[in-house]
Amino acid sequence: SIEEVIDAPEDLQTRAPIVTVMGHVDHGKTSLLDYIRKENVIAGESGGITQHIGAYGVQLENGQKMAFLDTPGHEAFTAMRARGAQVTDIAIIVIAADDDVMPQTKEAISHAQAAGVPIVFAINKVDKQTSNPDKIKEKLASMNLLVEDWGGKIQSHDISAKTGLGVKELLEKVLLEAEILELKANPDRMAAGTVVEAFLDKGRGYVSTILVQNGTLKIGDYVLAGRNSGKVKAMQDERGKNVKEAGPSTPVSILGLDGAPQAGDKFSVLEDEREAKDIAAKRAQLHREQSVRTQRH
Ligand code: GDP
């Protein structure tokens, strides 16, 4: 069944944090995500991540890992939350130091606070002559958001998403924040998590990027994702490399679902295919009935 299985404390292991990047338009969210994607080389592998699958995992030189949701902006964050999905552990809020704390910055801050997600500020574009990081920190202080180098508790780091200055240190601060959260998962159970994005690929059929939040997903598992289901035929990581398993906090794109679930849909692995199909069919039926009702009203 799809009831929540409570894990025994002794089965839990530390998992990597899942990070979302938010902030005002043009403050450098995409640039930061691109820089991290390109520069972070997973141990033993050469070359950056070239695929865009909606999420990617990175590993620092010291072996510590983290996963990034690769859709900047809080639209994706709020859309997921609206569907009941709590995916983000830590929010990086990017603020351009040549600008100001803007309306979307404030929105991002309130979204993170409402979700109880700790914030790490990335004070960006410090390579620019016109940048003034202290002005931003002063503004934040006036909003009751005191950053660390101003004697507060909120982590912040001056960066340039363009040159990469400070990005490594920013990620180290994210990991520090993750340690405080003591994020845990049980890798030895059937997988559960959230759909990040899904689309129909001409040659491969439905491709769904999912984020495993608990358990380990394996090839051959029967997955129920929103109103869709199917047996996992293949899995690929953010490098397009085939993988056989995906543990907690790992994003993977999977093949084998009978449709494209929506971003924010929860997924879980069920014991048998029949049950997964039945629940998906019932949900689809319910959805059709609800759509008809909304059209009538
Ligand atoms: P987004 O809308 O928040 O995703 O912002 P983008 O990443 O698209 O960046 C907006 C503009 O600012 C682009 O022209 C970037 O090249 C530029 N930009 C982003 N980060 C930096 C930075 O650290 N330094 C400088 N000089 N420009 C930057």
Side-chain angles (χ1 to χ4, degrees):
S1 78
I2 52 165
E3 287 140 45
E4 269 301 305
V5 182
I6 310 286
D7 295 301
E10 64 268 24
D11 293 334
L12 293 174
Q13 290 179 24
T14 301
R15 65 167 178 84
I18 300 167
V19 183
T20 298
V21 175
M22 297 195 280
H24 197 76
V25 64
D26 282 347
H27 278 200
K29 302 177 291 292
T30 312
S31 304
L32 177 61
L33 280 163
D34 284 349
Y35 183 85
I36 298 168
R37 190 192 307 107
K38 285 192 196 107
E39 291 305 311
N40 265 273
V41 177
I42 302 211
E45 300 203 28
S46 59
I49 302 159
T50 51
Q51 306 228 333
H52 266 283
I53 63 166
Y56 61 82
V58 295
Q59 187 170 343
L60 300 193
E61 278 161 29
N62 64 8
Q64 283 182 297
K65 289 180 181 175
M66 57 183 105
F68 281 86
L69 286 171
D70 199 6
T71 29
H74 54 259
E75 286 79 8
F77 182 76
T78 37
M80 284 209 188
R81 284 243 303 148
R83 303 184 72 78
Q86 176 76 288
V87 184
T88 304
D89 298 308
I90 295 163
I92 293 179
I93 297 185
V94 180
I95 309 177
D98 64 341
D99 199 1
D100 203 343
V101 178
M102 297 297 278
Q104 281 177 45
T105 317
K106 290 179 186 165
E107 262 179 62
I109 293 167
S110 12
H111 285 308
Q113 286 176 332
V117 171
I119 294 168
V120 176
F121 286 111
I123 314 296
N124 192 29
K125 307 198 188 185
V126 298
D127 59 287
K128 285 178 103 171
Q129 292 259 298
T130 50
S131 82
N132 187 352
D134 266 336
K135 190 190 118 195
I136 302 292
K137 289 169 198 174
E138 188 180 353
K139 188 72 177 277
L140 289 173
S142 77
M143 296 166 62
N144 231 345
L145 297 160
L146 211 52
V147 298
E148 222 184 9
D149 49 351
W150 275 54
K153 285 191 179 136
I154 307 173
Q155 305 266 18
S156 123
H157 204 81
D158 295 355
I159 66 156
S160 166
K162 193 175 173 183
T163 68
L165 178 83
V167 174
K168 189 170 156 251
E169 291 77 10
L170 173 76
L171 299 186
E172 280 164 0
K173 287 186 174 174
V174 169
L175 285 169
L176 216 63
E177 201 63 44
E179 265 174 45
I180 298 166
L181 294 173
E182 294 189 35
L183 305 165
K184 306 268 182 193
N186 174 9
D188 300 317
R189 55 168 279 179
M190 290 195 294
T194 304
V195 175
V196 175
E197 64 174 47
F199 63 95
L200 180 60
D201 180 271
K202 249 187 175 173
R204 296 183 295 166
Y206 291 101
V207 182
S208 314
T209 297
I210 54 150
L211 202 49
V212 178
Q213 290 172 275
N214 202 1
T216 298
L217 185 66
K218 295 171 183 154
I219 288 175
D221 281 348
Y222 296 114
V223 169
L224 170 68
R227 305 192 290 270
N228 297 104
S229 70
K231 184 178 179 173
V232 179
K233 280 193 277 189
M235 291 198 275
Q236 287 189 338
D237 66 11
E238 60 279 311
R239 284 153 195 274
K241 204 177 110 197
N242 285 310
V243 291
K244 290 192 174 122
E245 295 192 342
S249 299
T250 310
V252 273
S253 56
I254 62 168
L255 300 182
L257 293 189
D258 61 4
Q262 286 184 273
D265 274 343
K266 293 196 174 98
F267 84 86
S268 53
V269 171
L270 298 196
E271 296 270 6
D272 71 295
E273 193 172 11
R274 190 72 260 152
E275 196 188 359
K277 275 187 180 156
D278 284 350
I279 299 172
K282 273 182 200 142
R283 284 178 180 172
Q285 172 72 19
L286 203 66
H287 176 75
R288 278 192 297 274
E289 286 169 11
Q290 278 167 349
S291 326
V292 170
R293 240 176 280 144
T294 358
Q295 275 165 22
R296 279 202 199 117
H297 289 284

